[in-house]
Amino acid sequence: MPKVTVDGQEIEVPAGATVLQACELAGKEIPRFCYHERLSIAGNCRMCLVEVKPGPPKPQASCALPATEGQEIRTDSEMVKTAREGVMEFLLINHPLDCPICDQGGECDLQDQSVAYGRGASRYHENKRAVTEKTMGPLIKTIMTRCIHCTRCVRFSEEIAGVDEIGALYRGEDMQITTYLEQAAKHELSANVIDLCPVGALTSRPYAYEARPWELKKTMGIDVSDAVGSNIRIDSRGREVLRVLPRINDDVNEEWISDKARYQVDGLTRRRLDKVWIRKRGKLVEASWDEAFKAIAKAKPGKSIAAVAGDMLDCETMFAAKALLKASGSSLIESRQTGMDYDVSNLAAVNFNSGFAGIEEADAILIVGSNVRWEAPLVNVRLRKAAKRGAKVFIVGPAWEPTYPATFLGDDVSVLSKLPKDVSAALKAAKKPAIILGGGGFAAGAHAASVKIAHDFGMVKDGWNGFNALHMAAARMGALMLGFAQVGGIADIAKAKPKVLLALGADEVDFTKFADSLKVYIGHHGDKGAHAADIILPAAAYTEKPGTYVNTEGRVQRGDKAVFAPGDAREDWTILRALADALGVDVGFDSFHELRAAMFADAPALADEGSIADYGALATSVKGNAAPKGTIPAPIKDFYLTNPIARASAVMQQCSNELLLGEAMAEAAE
């Protein structure tokens, strides 16, 4: 490790570190616009200038200069100060200085660094250049006159997202950052360029002119739009969530989130259930909580009561429902709404065992029945890193566009019974082979075959478990840890013909199978479940309650309550607790604290926040057909409309229409 001196302080830095990183290790703040820890080095903003000896007697860009033994680095000399002032003056020559109307105001790197490192006055009095606004789709608002050509957005699109959609055109004063041919940015991570932009050139179109950062209450939360469990910050004002931003968690989402996680939140205020409804003579009419509970009790369900959990449910709600059914003498609980039935006796056989960070180390990957770009965009980012390192990727299932070289083996699941020779050879030769089983693979009955492949090709060994189940539902692993699954799936519950069916935010269930049951929907949106319900009890969305979530790799995480639920809506566990009184059973808790304590006692792994639960060794085999046949279905048909919140979101509907269905954006004159 080389030793360098930074402003008189001698430190050791890792081999391969840059001078900028050495200064950061020494506790010195180095201004920068183009440099970003997760992107390649561009070295084009020149704001990170420092003085280095030995070397030429001039300021040098610290982001692109390797730290070597014996360097003397000055970050506070007069030369450095003057050079940074000069660079800032040049950056502001063409910047419009429209901070009062800029959405980046209060969160702008250019503002902060011009105050800290600028001259305080400009000597430039010529006309500023102007650049026309670019069309980047319904999510990204562009005012490219503000652009300082840091190229962060270009590098993100090419290196992280793997979609070559944004680039620099022309040269010199005519240089512009744009989507080629002025088309919309269509990939699932496009809005991350808004966070990366150090000025107000790329801002959020749906959030435009909504609020200033100091007006917002910031709450730590967990995204429920997929099973990755991205760490998010929920920004709210009053009782409304205005935006969602990513939080840094290197093990889960790094510092990115999908466009759906970021922009579905406007759906939280639309099509909401905020009153109790009871169906009378075929029509839903408003009612009181007391009327609803009496109507459920009148059905006298006794042991004949069932509960189906939705895809965005927190563990506390599922545990409360389980406690209610247990007290009633029933065990009819299920979380796989669409009717999938796979062996859940060994949780390691339904878990993403290598972890998100671990899959980057895989050198041969077989993907079975999963469009990873849509099901888990941030896992696709990890797979792209693996492919960059030389991993060979093979895909069985419907064709989609991966952002890395991959070989499609067809969409018939029978391929798994006899893999092509080149695939078998690649998996056998790999030091860390892996298989990823997605929702389409589970639906096609490929679970047993995938576990067999994992063992046959040595994917499970000391220090490595390459069997990975990629779920799409944020609630799935938590539900399985709590035993919220039937051996025969939801078909067994339908056979039991329960008198009362509790649909806990369950909108994907085929309710025609429960025609004779009293269907009680406990949820937050007027979606499919509410349309089929006999009684609707309004509940809280994920931003309106504290909750524990387990992502597809088995990581336990918690989100906090950001805002209150609208109208008469209540937190789910309180509804179930009141229902227990109406049914005359004791669930053993009267407060959220008692509920959590009971849940931790029942599933101790849920108490260990931030860590991955230990599910033991992967079973040598699981129930199911080891030689399945048939076509693998595509489980997601529209990335933007996969859950009730997204379907209620005007922004997600617009994205679906314009980016997937190809509808032209309506102009005002039309």
Side-chain angles (χ1 to χ4, degrees):
M1 293 174 69
K3 288 183 180 179
V4 300
T5 304
V6 180
D7 293 344
Q9 175 188 353
E10 187 176 76
I11 60 167
E12 281 191 357
V13 297
T18 63
V19 169
L20 185 149
Q21 290 168 326
C23 295
E24 296 273 313
L25 286 172
K28 303 293 180 180
E29 182 182 355
I30 302 295
R32 83 290 296 266
F33 292 113
C34 68
Y35 175 79
H36 191 277
E37 291 83 353
R38 301 185 197 276
L39 304 176
S40 63
I41 294 169
N44 55 12
C45 78
R46 318 310 285 181
M47 195 64 209
C48 63
L49 295 174
V50 296
E51 187 179 349
V52 182
K53 296 178 182 178
K58 65 176 185 179
Q60 297 189 64
S62 59
C63 68
L65 185 65
T68 57
E69 183 70 35
Q71 280 178 331
E72 291 183 26
I73 304 164
R74 299 296 305 185
T75 69
D76 55 0
S77 68
E78 192 60 33
M79 179 198 291
V80 171
K81 182 175 181 294
T82 304
R84 288 177 180 170
E85 287 178 354
V87 170
M88 181 59 72
E89 195 172 8
F90 275 117
L91 287 174
L92 294 176
I93 279 176
N94 282 314
H95 196 79
L97 305 182
D98 55 353
C99 305
I101 62 160
C102 177
D103 266 324
Q104 201 81 358
E107 300 173 310
C108 178
D109 292 349
L110 189 63
Q111 274 186 336
D112 297 340
Q113 292 181 40
S114 62
V115 169
Y117 304 102
R119 288 186 72 247
S122 174
R123 294 172 289 179
Y124 189 81
H125 299 293
E126 304 301 319
N127 293 330
K128 293 176 181 282
R129 77 166 194 159
V131 182
T132 55
E133 182 176 345
K134 307 303 174 190
T135 302
M136 289 197 185
L139 302 181
I140 304 170
K141 179 181 173 65
T142 64
I143 301 181
M144 300 312 289
T145 302
R146 298 172 184 159
C147 180
I148 60 170
H149 302 160
C150 71
T151 67
R152 279 185 180 182
C153 55
V154 177
R155 284 174 285 149
F156 172 83
S157 298
E158 291 179 354
E159 298 164 14
I160 306 297
V163 181
D164 191 9
E165 287 186 338
I166 302 177
L169 302 182
Y170 319 124
R171 306 185 68 169
E173 189 181 0
D174 295 326
M175 180 177 168
Q176 298 181 24
I177 303 292
T178 178
T179 52
Y180 301 116
L181 305 178
E182 296 215 1
Q183 292 185 348
K186 293 183 179 179
H187 60 87
E188 304 76 27
L189 299 166
S190 65
N192 285 288
V193 299
I194 295 166
D195 299 331
L196 288 172
C197 185
V199 297
L202 303 177
T203 55
S204 173
R205 189 178 291 278
Y207 178 68
Y209 310 123
E210 285 288 330
R212 286 300 192 187
W214 52 84
E215 299 177 58
L216 304 175
K217 185 182 83 169
K218 300 166 179 62
T219 309
M220 304 301 108
I222 301 298
D223 171 48
V224 296
S225 65
D226 57 32
V228 172
S230 300
N231 289 213
I232 57 174
R233 193 186 86 196
I234 303 163
D235 287 358
S236 58
R237 184 177 60 192
R239 300 188 69 161
E240 185 178 358
V241 174
L242 292 182
R243 67 174 178 179
V244 159
L245 297 177
R247 283 188 289 137
I248 296 176
N249 187 328
D250 287 335
D251 295 326
V252 183
N253 57 304
E254 298 178 288
E255 60 183 87
W256 323 118
I257 53 172
S258 72
D259 291 350
K260 182 165 54 180
R262 187 186 298 264
Y263 285 120
Q264 69 174 6
V265 292
D266 73 305
L268 291 168
T269 58
R270 293 178 168 88
R271 292 169 59 181
R272 285 303 301 266
L273 299 174
D274 56 0
K275 290 182 174 63
V276 178
W277 299 84
I278 295 179
R279 192 175 296 277
K280 294 179 180 178
R281 299 183 196 88
K283 290 187 178 182
L284 288 168
V285 295
E286 280 188 40
S288 67
W289 284 99
D290 192 47
E291 285 179 81
F293 288 139
K294 282 180 179 176
I296 299 169
K298 189 178 178 182
K300 296 180 180 179
K303 294 181 181 179
S304 186
I305 183 171
V308 179
D311 290 345
M312 299 188 291
L313 224 52
D314 55 295
C315 291
E316 286 82 359
T317 299
M318 289 186 282
F319 180 78
K322 182 182 176 185
L324 172 63
L325 265 66
K326 185 177 180 182
S328 302
S330 171
S331 61
L332 298 174
I333 53 179
E334 182 55 75
S335 60
R336 297 165 294 180
Q337 302 179 66
T338 54
M340 283 196 289
D341 174 25
Y342 47 82
D343 190 351
V344 295
S345 57
N346 176 231
L347 289 183
V350 289
N351 186 53
F352 203 94
N353 294 292
S354 69
F356 299 149
I359 198 66
E360 295 178 18
E361 301 171 15
D363 44 5
I365 304 168
L366 177 63
I367 299 173
V368 180
S370 177
N371 179 343
V372 187
R373 269 187 72 174
W374 281 8
E375 293 174 28
L378 296 171
V379 174
N380 200 56
V381 170
R382 306 278 189 172
L383 294 178
R384 179 169 164 76
K385 289 186 189 178
K388 275 185 175 180
R389 292 173 179 172
K392 295 180 179 178
V393 182
F394 306 97
I395 301 174
V396 180
W400 49 284
E401 292 184 22
T403 55
Y404 38 82
T407 304
F408 280 87
L409 307 178
D411 60 358
D412 198 305
V413 74
S414 61
V415 172
L416 300 178
S417 304
K418 191 175 181 181
L419 291 171
K421 289 183 180 179
D422 58 330
V423 179
S424 298
L427 293 173
K428 284 178 181 175
K431 292 180 180 178
K432 290 186 174 181
I435 184 170
I436 297 176
L437 177 63
F442 276 116
H447 189 204
S450 298
V451 172
K452 184 177 185 298
I453 287 173
H455 287 295
D456 288 350
F457 289 94
M459 294 181 184
V460 182
K461 47 193 166 187
D462 286 344
W464 178 253
N465 186 340
F467 179 83
N468 298 301
L470 183 61
H471 298 295
M472 295 178 287
R476 182 71 75 248
M477 284 309 298
L480 297 181
M481 287 174 72
L482 290 168
F484 227 89
Q486 294 286 307
V487 173
I490 205 163
D492 272 9
I493 293 181
K495 283 179 188 174
K497 295 185 177 179
K499 290 182 180 178
V500 173
L501 174 70
L502 302 179
L504 307 170
D507 290 283
E508 315 303 329
V509 177
D510 181 2
F511 287 100
T512 59
K513 296 178 180 178
F514 299 94
D516 299 327
S517 303
L518 178 69
K519 295 175 281 295
V520 180
Y521 182 76
I522 303 175
H524 42 78
H525 274 79
D527 207 80
K528 302 171 189 174
H531 282 274
D534 299 308
I535 296 175
I536 296 174
L537 304 179
Y542 71 106
T543 56
E544 299 157 1
K545 58 185 174 182
T548 301
Y549 302 91
V550 185
N551 72 357
T552 191
E553 61 174 351
R555 189 180 300 276
V556 179
Q557 303 184 108
R558 292 201 182 94
D560 295 327
K561 180 177 181 174
V563 293
F564 286 95
D568 291 338
R570 299 288 181 268
E571 292 182 24
D572 307 55
W573 76 269
T574 63
I575 298 172
L576 293 164
R577 176 64 187 82
L579 182 56
D581 285 344
L583 296 177
V585 297
D586 180 20
V587 290
F589 55 83
D590 294 314
S591 68
F592 187 72
H593 177 73
E594 291 177 5
L595 165 61
R596 263 203 176 152
M599 183 179 76
F600 293 161
D602 184 68
L606 292 176
D608 199 359
E609 183 182 2
S611 65
I612 294 178
D614 183 6
Y615 298 135
L618 178 68
T620 53
S621 64
V622 295
K623 293 177 185 174
N625 187 1
K629 295 180 181 179
T631 302
I632 296 176
I636 293 181
K637 293 180 173 59
D638 191 324
F639 168 73
Y640 297 103
L641 304 175
T642 57
N643 62 65
I645 299 174
R647 288 191 286 266
S649 163
V651 176
M652 290 294 95
Q653 288 283 355
Q654 187 180 357
C655 286
S656 174
N657 292 341
E658 293 179 18
L659 303 183
L660 290 185
L661 303 180
E663 291 184 14
M665 187 184 295
E667 297 293 337
E670 296 172 7

